[in-house]
Amino acid sequence: MAARSRWSRFVDSAVRGQEVAPDDVQPGRNVQPRRQPAATSALPHAGPAGAGFLGAARLGAGQVGAARVGARRVGAARLGDRVGKKLRGQEGIAPSDAPRRRTDVRLALPAALIWGAAVAGAWLTPAALLAVCGGCVLLAALLLGITARGGSLAAGRRSFLMTTAIALMLAAATASHSAVSSAQRNEGPFADAVSAGKSVVAVVEVTGSPRSVSGGGGGRPERWSVTAQTQEVTVSGQIIRTRAQLVVMGGGGWENLVPGQVVRTAGKLKSPDPGQEEAAVLAASLPPVTGAGARGWEVTASELRGRYVSAAAFLAADPAGLLPGMVTGDTSALDEGLTAAMKAVGMTHLTAVSGANCSLVLGALLVLARSLRLPRIPAAGLAMAGLGMFVVLVGPDASVLRAALMGSIGLASLAGGRTGRGLSFLCLAVIGLLLTDPGLGTSFGFLLSVLATLGIIVLGRKMIDWTPPAVPRWAAAAWAVPLSAQLLCGPVIVLLQPQFSTYSLLANVVAAPLVAPVTLLGTAAVPFLVVAPWAATALIAVAGTFCAGVAGTARTVAGLPGASLPWPEGIFGLGTMILFSVVTLAGVWVAVRPRRVIRLVLALHARTESVLDLAERRLRVIRARAGRARAARGLEGAAGHGRLRDCTRISGRNPQWPLPQPRGAKHRQQTSPPGGT
């Protein structure tokens, strides 16, 4: 029979009314009972043997005032408090009293190794990546050999070695995947044409939605950025067939392209910035000539986005441009002034589809499925299918896929408080995305998505738990979620935009209640654009009202003095922002836990006093020893002499003691020798 755990024996001894060890109790102490919910009295299976236990639990629940009890009663009361919390946490009566889960970090090392391999693939040459792959495989084989022969290894160490070996194998796969794009950037005729900056005629397939890179103000033409993949490139009459990633920079005509379209254009090749996954940048000198059409679902999604922008045109200027961006990701009608205001107050994640939007859509679909009494698996399938359709609507760009995946992970982690599992899901998502597309390893957007989700999973739950019980959990989450994400994303944002948004937390907290109605009502209006336009107009009008509140919040907060302050650039700015985030987190803990801070300060004060007292006593002992040592060194200790070590300098004499000098001694006159005159 397997040995029972210490906790099981502890609980059984209390339920059966056995004697509790007096080590847990200080006899004669006046114990102040802790107030517990009234549900404590409803503990299950209360038999005669457990009557003393239930009475002690009620005593610990605050039904009786402070009382002086004996060792058994005090021990039973404390035990009842602990077991009551355990039972209430299992029954869902008081989630705040549930036992804490330890954060599972076993997948953090594989995610870090794979991310490192992806970053290395963007900077190293194919030969160097080959060496990285070989080193990872050899080290993984070594660890597997140690695991196979190490029969005496502990289970935890064996599991760690096995996990590390698998992580190294996955890192080698990521590096080999990155070697393909590295070869396109560094070797071959296409790489030679890019380095020479030659003019080419290219046939490319659009892989992303067009993005505006200039507003076209001041008489300047508007420019667009489109990600694409080459099919064939003609350089000086030579046709190069390759599948290389590139970014096309063009003017008019590029804004209407849809992912999946094949177009022909001409322009000049340029080398990308170091560390980018693209093999080249094509500055297009001609508008695109459309070839093969896009896939049907992509064309349908593009048409729906265009119809949504037209349907929202009756709203005011700000909500008419912001609503399509928050619902479908189309920011073509967004005002430049509103864009600048939202950037100044840290609300740019609302100007397009973000993880919060995907989380709201997924959560609403789950609630709808459960309200229809669907089983768990069909409900999850319906929710994921709806989320997939939403991703198709806004466009399956890399940023949208990141938002959908990270948003669903954040929702699964926060709903139900499964913090440890949420971190594991996040690591799995990072591993899967990087294995599929190693170029995401150098994307700032991917890094911000991961950091924001990590902050919500790790810090958000802790901040909610730090909040006093008198504050509702929804109110605690309203400030904890944006602050936790901002603390981790702040250092990276400083590298991209060296400024500090003073009122970013205030603006996001005020706008947070408005985001859910905008997303849910606005998304619900999309299918009605086809079947019932009048219903879509009504939903857009209501969503536009809330959207106007978001725009008004951004403009109002951006107009406050000191809304955007300059911040140092580069590594120094990164370090100072990290320090500021740490200080802010410590300040939040101090603000929400004043009693614990006071107890900590008093404990540190008492500890400091004891250390100083001990140091003073030791200093006295050291000084006494030093005095005795100096006294011992003062005498030479020669037998029969007893003379001083430091003797007077008198010619021909060495007296035992220094000669006394009379006060007021005067110069002695020399006397004449005998017989002299």
Side-chain angles (χ1 to χ4, degrees):
M1 182 176 179
R4 303 183 62 189
S5 66
R6 185 178 180 183
W7 170 251
S8 300
R9 297 194 304 270
F10 195 51
V11 173
D12 289 344
S13 64
V15 174
R16 295 172 183 174
Q18 296 178 3
E19 192 174 80
V20 182
D23 299 339
D24 227 4
V25 185
Q26 296 180 4
R29 181 179 176 184
N30 188 12
V31 179
Q32 297 292 336
R34 299 175 61 183
R35 299 186 62 186
Q36 299 292 344
T40 307
S41 59
L43 292 174
H45 307 295
F53 165 72
L54 289 178
R58 294 192 182 98
L59 175 63
Q63 298 179 2
V64 182
R68 188 178 301 274
V69 292
R72 290 188 182 181
R73 288 288 185 91
V74 175
R78 292 184 178 179
L79 190 58
D81 186 25
R82 296 174 186 173
V83 179
K85 284 185 178 181
K86 178 70 175 179
L87 293 175
R88 289 193 304 274
Q90 292 177 354
E91 295 175 1
I93 298 174
S96 60
D97 292 338
R100 293 177 178 268
R101 288 182 179 269
R102 292 190 300 175
T103 302
D104 190 355
V105 297
R106 288 175 293 179
L107 292 178
L109 179 61
L113 290 176
I114 293 172
W115 202 328
V119 173
W123 291 88
L124 300 180
T125 61
L129 288 175
L130 180 61
V132 170
C133 293
C136 290
V137 172
L138 289 178
L139 187 56
L142 177 62
L143 293 178
L144 290 176
I146 295 175
T147 305
R149 288 195 295 264
S152 59
L153 292 177
R157 182 173 298 180
R158 186 182 299 109
S159 175
F160 175 75
L161 293 178
M162 183 68 68
T163 304
T164 305
I166 295 175
L168 289 171
M169 296 295 291
L170 294 177
T174 305
S176 62
H177 191 177
S178 302
V180 178
S181 58
S182 178
Q184 293 175 346
R185 292 192 306 268
N186 296 278
E187 299 176 354
F190 183 75
D192 297 338
V194 172
S195 60
K198 294 186 176 181
S199 298
V200 299
V201 176
V203 177
V204 299
E205 179 183 354
V206 179
T207 58
S209 300
R211 300 183 182 277
S212 177
V213 294
S214 65
R220 294 175 302 175
E222 193 169 10
R223 302 285 294 176
W224 297 86
S225 171
V226 183
T227 58
Q229 189 177 46
T230 61
Q231 290 187 350
E232 65 177 40
V233 179
T234 303
V235 183
S236 302
Q238 179 185 2
I239 298 177
I240 304 173
R241 290 182 173 85
T242 181
R243 304 286 290 181
Q245 298 288 335
L246 53 81
V247 177
V248 182
M249 306 292 295
W254 289 93
E255 70 276 10
N256 299 321
L257 296 181
V258 179
Q261 280 186 301
V262 178
V263 298
R264 179 186 295 271
T265 186
K268 189 175 183 180
L269 293 175
K270 298 180 180 179
S271 299
D273 295 332
Q276 298 296 322
E277 62 173 327
E278 291 84 9
V281 176
L282 177 62
S285 57
L286 297 176
V289 178
T290 305
R295 291 178 287 269
W297 55 271
E298 292 176 335
V299 175
T300 303
S302 178
E303 292 178 353
L304 280 177
R305 290 194 296 268
R307 294 182 65 174
Y308 198 94
V309 173
S310 302
F314 70 94
L315 300 173
D318 284 349
L322 182 59
L323 181 61
M326 294 182 65
V327 175
T328 67
D330 191 341
T331 58
S332 59
L334 191 62
D335 183 69
E336 293 183 11
L338 180 59
T339 302
M342 300 186 77
K343 183 181 295 185
V345 297
M347 296 175 63
T348 52
H349 60 94
L350 298 178
T351 58
V353 176
S354 62
N357 303 78
C358 297
S359 299
L360 289 170
V361 172
L362 182 60
L365 292 173
L366 284 174
V367 171
L368 177 61
R370 297 300 292 175
S371 63
L372 297 176
R373 299 183 181 276
L374 293 178
R376 181 175 300 178
I377 296 179
L382 176 63
M384 294 306 298
L387 182 61
M389 295 176 64
F390 179 75
V391 171
V392 171
L393 171 66
V394 300
D397 289 345
S399 60
V400 177
L401 294 176
R402 288 194 307 268
L405 187 56
M406 301 303 176
S408 58
I409 291 172
L411 179 65
S413 173
L414 288 181
R418 299 183 176 182
T419 308
R421 295 184 181 181
L423 184 58
S424 300
F425 294 157
L426 175 61
C427 294
L428 286 175
V430 170
I431 292 172
L433 288 174
L434 291 177
L435 287 174
T436 304
D437 185 6
L440 293 175
T442 57
S443 172
F444 279 101
F446 180 74
L447 178 60
L448 290 173
S449 298
V450 174
L451 290 178
T453 309
L454 181 64
I456 295 173
I457 292 174
V458 177
L459 298 181
R461 175 62 58 181
K462 292 184 179 296
M463 291 182 181
I464 294 175
D465 293 339
W466 292 347
T467 308
V471 180
R473 294 187 68 83
W474 62 266
W479 68 269
V481 171
L483 180 59
S484 59
Q486 185 177 353
L487 288 178
L488 293 189
C489 293
V492 179
I493 294 176
V494 165
L495 294 178
L496 301 176
Q497 184 179 353
Q499 68 178 25
F500 176 70
S501 300
T502 310
Y503 310 110
S504 176
L505 180 61
L506 174 63
N508 282 278
V509 169
V510 173
L514 306 175
V515 174
V518 170
T519 303
L520 298 178
L521 295 176
T523 306
V526 174
F528 287 103
L529 289 174
V530 180
V531 297
W534 58 271
T537 303
L539 292 174
I540 288 175
V542 179
T545 304
F546 292 99
C547 192
V550 175
T553 300
R555 289 189 180 273
T556 302
V557 176
L560 297 177
S564 180
L565 301 177
W567 197 268
E569 300 181 2
I571 301 300
F572 181 73
L574 174 66
T576 52
M577 182 55 72
I578 292 176
L579 180 61
F580 181 77
S581 298
V582 173
V583 173
T584 302
L585 182 62
V588 169
W589 186 83
V590 170
V592 299
R593 292 293 183 93
R595 294 183 180 179
R596 182 170 294 186
V597 171
I598 293 174
R599 290 197 300 266
L600 179 61
V601 170
L602 294 177
L604 290 177
H605 178 69
R607 181 64 178 173
T608 304
E609 284 186 341
S610 62
V611 170
L612 292 178
D613 185 38
L614 179 62
E616 184 179 2
R617 291 198 300 267
R618 290 184 177 180
L619 184 60
R620 290 176 182 175
V621 173
I622 293 174
R623 287 179 177 176
R625 292 177 179 175
R628 290 194 297 267
R630 285 196 300 267
R633 287 196 303 266
L635 296 174
E636 290 183 350
H641 294 281
R643 65 178 62 179
L644 293 177
R645 177 176 297 177
D646 297 329
C647 301
T648 57
R649 298 180 180 275
I650 301 176
S651 175
R653 294 188 298 174
N654 191 9
Q656 296 181 359
W657 304 101
L659 296 176
Q661 293 290 337
R663 295 184 179 180
K666 298 181 180 180
H667 180 68
R668 295 182 59 184
Q669 296 181 358
Q670 295 182 357
T671 57
S672 300
T677 56

